[in-house]
Every structure is written in C-alpha cells, then in structure tokens.
Amino acid sequence: MAKLKLGPIADDKPVKVTLELPASLHRDLTAYAEILARQAGHAAADPVRLIVPMLERFIATDRGFAKARRGKADA
C-alpha cells in the first residue's frame, strides 16, 4: 500500500467548505502571503486565497498519492 502524507478521510462530497484554522497557522499563511507579495511586487493577498493552491501543490507533489492513483487506473 502506498504511504500517503494524509491518513484516512471520510467519503464526503461537500459543495462548500468552512473551517477554523489555528491562530498560528493563520499567522503563517498571512506571513506567507506577505512574503509572496513582496517577491511579486504586489500588495499582499488575502491569506485564505493561498489554501487552494497550497492543497493543489501538496497533492501534485505527493508521490504516494500519484503512485496509488496510477495503480488504481491500471486496475
């Protein structure tokens, strides 16, 4: 079995996701947005807008997930 970065997750199909972030994670997202904005020469974006690209990047770089997905397609 492939070793994923995440554990088992319930099989739900939400249309909208609302979540509470720990204050420390929100501070990190805010700092990340500020650094990203400085590097790009723009004003800092809402840190919440970073969540989707970060999740997409996480999934795209999870080798265990990619391997498992390929294995499922082959089956």
Side-chain angles (χ1 to χ4, degrees):
M1 176 139 304
K3 184 175 180 180
L4 298 178
K5 293 181 180 182
L6 298 176
I9 299 173
D11 183 24
D12 293 328
K13 297 178 183 179
V15 173
K16 181 177 181 178
V17 175
T18 302
L19 63 114
E20 292 184 23
L21 299 175
S24 61
L25 179 56
H26 187 264
R27 285 190 298 271
D28 287 345
L29 283 171
T30 301
Y32 197 102
E34 290 169 358
I35 293 167
L36 188 62
R38 273 198 308 264
Q39 289 181 350
H42 299 285
D46 179 3
V48 173
R49 296 193 62 206
L50 297 175
I51 296 171
V52 170
M54 286 179 159
L55 287 172
E56 289 173 338
R57 176 73 173 191
F58 174 85
I59 289 172
T61 60
D62 188 328
R63 292 180 183 171
F65 175 70
K67 183 177 179 181
R69 185 176 239 182
R70 282 191 309 270
K72 183 178 180 182
D74 294 340

